[in-house]
Tab-separated table of all heavy atoms in Angstrom:
chain	number	residue	atom	x	y	z
A	1	GLU	N	-95.953	-71.387	-128.589
A	1	GLU	CA	-95.731	-71.029	-127.183
A	1	GLU	C	-95.630	-69.516	-126.957
A	1	GLU	O	-94.915	-68.832	-127.695
A	1	GLU	CB	-94.419	-71.749	-126.695
A	1	GLU	CG	-94.500	-73.236	-126.729
A	1	GLU	CD	-93.210	-73.891	-126.341
A	1	GLU	OE1	-92.322	-73.233	-125.811
A	1	GLU	OE2	-93.085	-75.126	-126.624
A	2	LEU	N	-96.351	-69.060	-126.049
A	2	LEU	CA	-96.410	-67.610	-125.714
A	2	LEU	C	-96.012	-67.261	-124.295
A	2	LEU	O	-96.402	-68.085	-123.431
A	2	LEU	CB	-97.793	-67.044	-125.983
A	2	LEU	CG	-98.361	-67.220	-127.390
A	2	LEU	CD1	-99.810	-66.835	-127.421
A	2	LEU	CD2	-97.564	-66.451	-128.431
A	3	PHE	N	-95.298	-66.198	-124.122
A	3	PHE	CA	-95.051	-65.743	-122.711
A	3	PHE	C	-96.312	-65.233	-122.142
A	3	PHE	O	-97.218	-64.668	-122.892
A	3	PHE	CB	-93.995	-64.689	-122.667
A	3	PHE	CG	-92.609	-65.188	-122.968
A	3	PHE	CD1	-92.052	-65.033	-124.263
A	3	PHE	CD2	-91.853	-65.883	-122.025
A	3	PHE	CE1	-90.778	-65.521	-124.508
A	3	PHE	CE2	-90.565	-66.414	-122.302
A	3	PHE	CZ	-90.058	-66.189	-123.564
A	4	GLU	N	-96.543	-65.422	-120.880
A	4	GLU	CA	-97.851	-65.135	-120.238
A	4	GLU	C	-98.281	-63.647	-120.304
A	4	GLU	O	-99.424	-63.339	-120.162
A	4	GLU	CB	-97.942	-65.638	-118.803
A	4	GLU	CG	-96.910	-64.987	-117.865
A	4	GLU	CD	-96.951	-65.580	-116.453
A	4	GLU	OE1	-97.500	-66.708	-116.308
A	4	GLU	OE2	-96.423	-64.932	-115.544
A	5	ASP	N	-97.270	-62.780	-120.446
A	5	ASP	CA	-97.644	-61.331	-120.497
A	5	ASP	C	-98.095	-60.885	-121.838
A	5	ASP	O	-98.611	-59.769	-121.947
A	5	ASP	CB	-96.372	-60.549	-120.077
A	5	ASP	CG	-95.169	-60.804	-120.934
A	5	ASP	OD1	-94.491	-61.794	-120.777
A	5	ASP	OD2	-94.923	-60.043	-121.923
A	6	VAL	N	-97.936	-61.718	-122.861
A	6	VAL	CA	-98.207	-61.230	-124.249
A	6	VAL	C	-99.674	-60.917	-124.568
A	6	VAL	O	-99.965	-59.780	-124.971
A	6	VAL	CB	-97.633	-62.283	-125.284
A	6	VAL	CG1	-98.070	-61.918	-126.718
A	6	VAL	CG2	-96.129	-62.387	-125.177
A	7	VAL	N	-100.515	-61.911	-124.356
A	7	VAL	CA	-101.927	-61.706	-124.759
A	7	VAL	C	-102.596	-60.596	-123.919
A	7	VAL	O	-103.243	-59.728	-124.565
A	7	VAL	CB	-102.743	-63.062	-124.639
A	7	VAL	CG1	-104.221	-62.798	-124.831
A	7	VAL	CG2	-102.206	-64.058	-125.730
A	8	PRO	N	-102.464	-60.573	-122.607
A	8	PRO	CA	-103.081	-59.427	-121.889
A	8	PRO	C	-102.603	-58.072	-122.339
A	8	PRO	O	-103.365	-57.113	-122.447
A	8	PRO	CB	-102.683	-59.696	-120.429
A	8	PRO	CG	-102.372	-61.137	-120.309
A	8	PRO	CD	-101.817	-61.500	-121.687
A	9	ALA	N	-101.326	-57.989	-122.674
A	9	ALA	CA	-100.756	-56.684	-123.129
A	9	ALA	C	-101.353	-56.270	-124.450
A	9	ALA	O	-101.767	-55.161	-124.666
A	9	ALA	CB	-99.240	-56.755	-123.199
A	10	ILE	N	-101.413	-57.209	-125.411
A	10	ILE	CA	-101.942	-56.937	-126.705
A	10	ILE	C	-103.408	-56.558	-126.630
A	10	ILE	O	-103.842	-55.604	-127.311
A	10	ILE	CB	-101.711	-58.081	-127.687
A	10	ILE	CG1	-100.254	-58.324	-127.940
A	10	ILE	CG2	-102.490	-57.898	-128.987
A	10	ILE	CD1	-99.939	-59.509	-128.825
A	11	ARG	N	-104.159	-57.222	-125.759
A	11	ARG	CA	-105.597	-56.839	-125.583
A	11	ARG	C	-105.719	-55.392	-125.131
A	11	ARG	O	-106.543	-54.620	-125.515
A	11	ARG	CB	-106.242	-57.834	-124.651
A	11	ARG	CG	-106.448	-59.220	-125.166
A	11	ARG	CD	-107.446	-60.017	-124.321
A	11	ARG	NE	-107.412	-61.390	-124.681
A	11	ARG	CZ	-107.987	-61.968	-125.734
A	11	ARG	NH1	-108.653	-61.166	-126.578
A	11	ARG	NH2	-107.935	-63.233	-125.975
A	12	LYS	N	-104.864	-54.975	-124.180
A	12	LYS	CA	-104.882	-53.598	-123.666
A	12	LYS	C	-104.536	-52.641	-124.791
A	12	LYS	O	-105.166	-51.550	-124.873
A	12	LYS	CB	-103.894	-53.472	-122.496
A	12	LYS	CG	-104.415	-54.034	-121.205
A	12	LYS	CD	-103.393	-53.793	-120.046
A	12	LYS	CE	-103.897	-54.332	-118.739
A	12	LYS	NZ	-102.926	-54.132	-117.659
A	13	TRP	N	-103.534	-52.932	-125.574
A	13	TRP	CA	-103.101	-52.040	-126.665
A	13	TRP	C	-104.255	-51.836	-127.591
A	13	TRP	O	-104.516	-50.760	-128.031
A	13	TRP	CB	-101.868	-52.582	-127.391
A	13	TRP	CG	-100.700	-52.800	-126.548
A	13	TRP	CD1	-100.454	-52.249	-125.270
A	13	TRP	CD2	-99.567	-53.624	-126.860
A	13	TRP	NE1	-99.235	-52.682	-124.823
A	13	TRP	CE2	-98.674	-53.512	-125.735
A	13	TRP	CE3	-99.208	-54.408	-127.932
A	13	TRP	CZ2	-97.428	-54.169	-125.706
A	13	TRP	CZ3	-98.006	-55.076	-127.918
A	13	TRP	CH2	-97.110	-54.971	-126.842
A	14	ARG	N	-104.932	-52.920	-127.932
A	14	ARG	CA	-106.020	-52.840	-128.915
A	14	ARG	C	-107.225	-52.051	-128.345
A	14	ARG	O	-107.833	-51.294	-129.022
A	14	ARG	CB	-106.477	-54.291	-129.298
A	14	ARG	CG	-105.426	-54.941	-130.189
A	14	ARG	CD	-105.831	-56.306	-130.632
A	14	ARG	NE	-107.079	-56.287	-131.464
A	14	ARG	CZ	-107.093	-56.102	-132.705
A	14	ARG	NH1	-105.972	-55.931	-133.414
A	14	ARG	NH2	-108.217	-56.068	-133.408
A	15	GLU	N	-107.432	-52.230	-127.028
A	15	GLU	CA	-108.529	-51.463	-126.349
A	15	GLU	C	-108.206	-49.989	-126.391
A	15	GLU	O	-109.103	-49.164	-126.407
A	15	GLU	CB	-108.726	-51.999	-124.945
A	15	GLU	CG	-109.380	-53.347	-124.858
A	15	GLU	CD	-109.325	-53.938	-123.431
A	15	GLU	OE1	-108.843	-53.238	-122.518
A	15	GLU	OE2	-109.710	-55.133	-123.277
A	16	ALA	N	-106.885	-49.666	-126.400
A	16	ALA	CA	-106.473	-48.238	-126.425
A	16	ALA	C	-106.476	-47.683	-127.865
A	16	ALA	O	-106.051	-46.597	-128.052
A	16	ALA	CB	-105.127	-48.115	-125.804
A	17	GLY	N	-106.881	-48.564	-128.815
A	17	GLY	CA	-106.939	-48.084	-130.160
A	17	GLY	C	-105.682	-48.348	-131.044
A	17	GLY	O	-105.582	-47.915	-132.196
A	18	MET	N	-104.768	-49.148	-130.505
A	18	MET	CA	-103.576	-49.478	-131.168
A	18	MET	C	-103.880	-50.582	-132.203
A	18	MET	O	-104.745	-51.370	-132.000
A	18	MET	CB	-102.475	-49.978	-130.247
A	18	MET	CG	-102.003	-48.960	-129.193
A	18	MET	SD	-101.089	-47.645	-130.008
A	18	MET	CE	-101.161	-46.416	-128.750
A	19	LYS	N	-103.061	-50.654	-133.228
A	19	LYS	CA	-103.070	-51.776	-134.169
A	19	LYS	C	-101.732	-52.624	-133.934
A	19	LYS	O	-100.718	-51.995	-133.668
A	19	LYS	CB	-103.199	-51.289	-135.635
A	19	LYS	CG	-104.533	-50.694	-135.926
A	19	LYS	CD	-104.723	-50.445	-137.365
A	19	LYS	CE	-106.166	-49.916	-137.651
A	19	LYS	NZ	-106.393	-49.739	-139.069
A	20	VAL	N	-101.871	-53.902	-134.122
A	20	VAL	CA	-100.767	-54.785	-133.862
A	20	VAL	C	-100.485	-55.666	-135.075
A	20	VAL	O	-101.414	-56.277	-135.585
A	20	VAL	CB	-101.045	-55.657	-132.590
A	20	VAL	CG1	-99.831	-56.555	-132.279
A	20	VAL	CG2	-101.315	-54.771	-131.397
A	21	TYR	N	-99.237	-55.610	-135.515
A	21	TYR	CA	-98.897	-56.425	-136.713
A	21	TYR	C	-97.715	-57.337	-136.311
A	21	TYR	O	-96.874	-57.027	-135.476
A	21	TYR	CB	-98.459	-55.541	-137.871
A	21	TYR	CG	-99.589	-54.620	-138.377
A	21	TYR	CD1	-99.905	-53.405	-137.750
A	21	TYR	CD2	-100.364	-55.037	-139.496
A	21	TYR	CE1	-100.877	-52.597	-138.191
A	21	TYR	CE2	-101.382	-54.204	-139.944
A	21	TYR	CZ	-101.648	-52.983	-139.287
A	21	TYR	OH	-102.662	-52.162	-139.806
A	22	ILE	N	-97.627	-58.404	-137.061
A	22	ILE	CA	-96.504	-59.346	-136.929
A	22	ILE	C	-95.588	-59.191	-138.137
A	22	ILE	O	-96.068	-59.214	-139.260
A	22	ILE	CB	-96.897	-60.810	-136.795
A	22	ILE	CG1	-97.846	-60.997	-135.590
A	22	ILE	CG2	-95.713	-61.772	-136.720
A	22	ILE	CD1	-97.181	-60.759	-134.236
A	23	TYR	N	-94.247	-59.058	-137.943
A	23	TYR	CA	-93.291	-59.119	-139.015
A	23	TYR	C	-92.290	-60.113	-138.658
A	23	TYR	O	-91.595	-59.975	-137.614
A	23	TYR	CB	-92.691	-57.722	-139.165
A	23	TYR	CG	-91.606	-57.553	-140.228
A	23	TYR	CD1	-91.621	-58.377	-141.380
A	23	TYR	CD2	-90.576	-56.588	-140.119
A	23	TYR	CE1	-90.629	-58.217	-142.313
A	23	TYR	CE2	-89.622	-56.445	-141.039
A	23	TYR	CZ	-89.633	-57.238	-142.176
A	23	TYR	OH	-88.648	-57.108	-143.130
A	24	SER	N	-92.165	-61.123	-139.485
A	24	SER	CA	-91.261	-62.260	-139.158
A	24	SER	C	-90.559	-62.762	-140.372
A	24	SER	O	-91.067	-62.670	-141.524
A	24	SER	CB	-92.045	-63.381	-138.494
A	24	SER	OG	-91.304	-64.527	-138.297
A	25	SER	N	-89.356	-63.365	-140.173
A	25	SER	CA	-88.695	-64.055	-141.344
A	25	SER	C	-89.406	-65.364	-141.640
A	25	SER	O	-89.185	-65.906	-142.669
A	25	SER	CB	-87.212	-64.264	-140.975
A	25	SER	OG	-87.105	-64.986	-139.787
A	26	GLY	N	-90.223	-65.867	-140.682
A	26	GLY	CA	-91.088	-67.021	-140.948
A	26	GLY	C	-92.224	-66.562	-141.854
A	26	GLY	O	-92.686	-65.376	-141.789
A	27	SER	N	-92.733	-67.438	-142.740
A	27	SER	CA	-93.831	-67.052	-143.648
A	27	SER	C	-95.059	-66.627	-142.938
A	27	SER	O	-95.284	-66.990	-141.767
A	27	SER	CB	-94.106	-68.281	-144.595
A	27	SER	OG	-94.720	-69.274	-143.834
A	28	VAL	N	-95.934	-65.897	-143.633
A	28	VAL	CA	-97.205	-65.480	-143.127
A	28	VAL	C	-97.943	-66.743	-142.720
A	28	VAL	O	-98.605	-66.723	-141.632
A	28	VAL	CB	-97.975	-64.630	-144.091
A	28	VAL	CG1	-99.415	-64.443	-143.665
A	28	VAL	CG2	-97.307	-63.235	-144.243
A	29	GLU	N	-97.932	-67.770	-143.528
A	29	GLU	CA	-98.637	-68.981	-143.227
A	29	GLU	C	-98.173	-69.599	-141.868
A	29	GLU	O	-98.948	-69.981	-141.019
A	29	GLU	CB	-98.495	-70.054	-144.305
A	29	GLU	CG	-99.281	-71.296	-144.048
A	29	GLU	CD	-99.102	-72.381	-145.099
A	29	GLU	OE1	-98.108	-72.275	-145.890
A	29	GLU	OE2	-99.938	-73.294	-145.156
A	30	ALA	N	-96.848	-69.639	-141.711
A	30	ALA	CA	-96.276	-70.155	-140.417
A	30	ALA	C	-96.701	-69.325	-139.236
A	30	ALA	O	-96.936	-69.862	-138.177
A	30	ALA	CB	-94.765	-70.219	-140.528
A	31	GLN	N	-96.692	-67.972	-139.405
A	31	GLN	CA	-97.191	-67.078	-138.353
A	31	GLN	C	-98.606	-67.399	-137.936
A	31	GLN	O	-98.929	-67.494	-136.693
A	31	GLN	CB	-97.086	-65.687	-138.811
A	31	GLN	CG	-95.721	-65.144	-139.131
A	31	GLN	CD	-95.777	-63.755	-139.756
A	31	GLN	OE1	-96.572	-62.943	-139.316
A	31	GLN	NE2	-94.937	-63.499	-140.776
A	32	LYS	N	-99.451	-67.545	-138.955
A	32	LYS	CA	-100.866	-67.783	-138.667
A	32	LYS	C	-101.073	-69.100	-137.952
A	32	LYS	O	-101.975	-69.272	-137.120
A	32	LYS	CB	-101.681	-67.642	-139.931
A	32	LYS	CG	-101.801	-66.256	-140.447
A	32	LYS	CD	-102.657	-66.128	-141.659
A	32	LYS	CE	-102.832	-64.630	-142.089
A	32	LYS	NZ	-103.608	-64.494	-143.335
A	33	LEU	N	-100.272	-70.090	-138.275
A	33	LEU	CA	-100.361	-71.380	-137.634
A	33	LEU	C	-99.998	-71.296	-136.120
A	33	LEU	O	-100.668	-71.779	-135.244
A	33	LEU	CB	-99.503	-72.435	-138.306
A	33	LEU	CG	-99.921	-72.942	-139.630
A	33	LEU	CD1	-98.846	-73.761	-140.310
A	33	LEU	CD2	-101.187	-73.766	-139.526
A	34	LEU	N	-98.839	-70.541	-135.885
A	34	LEU	CA	-98.364	-70.369	-134.520
A	34	LEU	C	-99.428	-69.689	-133.631
A	34	LEU	O	-99.655	-70.167	-132.582
A	34	LEU	CB	-97.041	-69.604	-134.589
A	34	LEU	CG	-96.240	-69.571	-133.256
A	34	LEU	CD1	-94.818	-69.286	-133.562
A	34	LEU	CD2	-96.719	-68.498	-132.316
């Protein structure tokens, strides 16, 4: 489940040349599933 502002914002950041990473106490596998 994602808040509606998340994906549009990340797309804008990436278009501006930003890199986006996830850091979570959940495993990398669990992150990729989500």
Side-chain angles (χ1 to χ4, degrees):
E1 297 176 12
L2 302 172
F3 290 101
E4 63 183 17
D5 57 280
V6 170
V7 170
I10 293 177
R11 290 194 191 284
K12 283 183 180 177
W13 300 342
R14 290 180 62 85
E15 287 167 9
M18 298 291 164
K19 291 188 175 182
V20 182
Y21 296 84
I22 301 295
Y23 178 30
S24 174
S25 55
S27 69
V28 168
E29 182 182 19
Q31 296 172 39
K32 289 183 176 179
L33 288 169
L34 192 155

